Amino acid sequence: MAEIHPTALVDPQAELDGSVRVGPCAVIGPHVRIGAHSTVGAHCVIEGRTTIGAHNRVFQFASIGAEPQDKKYAGEPTRLEIGDGNTIREFVTINAGTVQDAGVTRVGDDNWIMAYVHVAHDCQIGSHTILANAVQLAGHVHLGDWVFLGGQTGVHQFVRVGAHAMTGFQARLSQDLPPFVTAAGSPAEAQSINAEGLRRRGYTPERIALVKQMYRLLYRKGLTLDAARQQIDALRGEVAEADADIALMQAFLASAARGIVR
């Protein structure tokens, strides 16, 4: 049996693993499923068609799975899916999806989501991301793996942030931020690559140097985007393990419908 505080309100239809712990005054709705060894803090509300995996920690006063803040929403059975090993701190709000998109908001694994973060409807968050205090994601935002968004970063709807990218404090993103790139300012402008993050993830100096080459072609050579992409493609084979990084960058740039941060 799950360890449920006597003051918590857990609907009998909710599916909680026997190792789940639920704190005082928490409210859990009928369509919620929570996996092994996850904890729900005091006064949390988890509702809607929400699935939460194993080893997650949801701190006090979080609101998870509520209806999307979208005036078009008409009660459709949309969902929220959260993976394993996530930390979700105080006053975080994560909303369900809408039928205007895939109908589901997703959060991957091992994400660190700090206090007062808002994740709007239909956002797709990868794994191993860090969202610092008060980051605000509008609807339909996509974040790749290992993204780090600085405190109070605001992200416009439909913007995509590539894997390993990073923003500074109070950055305002209204265009796509390519993989590996660090941006700051309001509006955000590209500053450098996230070299320290790559080092921490085991990237070799040669691989990091090639990522820097891609950055220079995009931002320092005065090239058009198409010309930069051609020259980035020509880097294939120079560092064998970096070919995957080139492919990641090229795929991102090819689908950058909003333009990229420059």
Side-chain angles (χ1 to χ4, degrees), residues 123 132 233 241:
C123 286
D233 209 51
E241 64 268 32

Side-chain angles (χ1 to χ4, degrees), residues 77-134:
T78 55
R79 310 187 313 282
L80 167 63
E81 298 175 358
I82 296 175
D84 301 330
N86 297 287
T87 297
I88 300 172
R89 295 299 306 239
E90 299 85 353
F91 300 101
V92 167
T93 55
I94 308 178
N95 294 160
T98 67
V99 295
Q100 285 73 36
D101 200 325
V104 57
T105 303
R106 291 190 180 92
V107 177
D109 303 325
D110 189 36
N111 295 289
W112 187 263
I113 303 177
M114 298 188 197
Y116 294 97
V117 168
H118 175 61
V119 178
H121 58 84
D122 303 294
C123 286
Q124 309 293 312
I125 296 176
S127 297
H128 315 294
T129 68
I130 298 175
L131 308 185
N133 292 300

Side-chain angles (χ1 to χ4, degrees), residues 136-147:
Q136 305 292 292
L137 304 183
H140 315 279
V141 166
H142 287 213
L143 304 184
D145 295 342
W146 300 103
V147 164

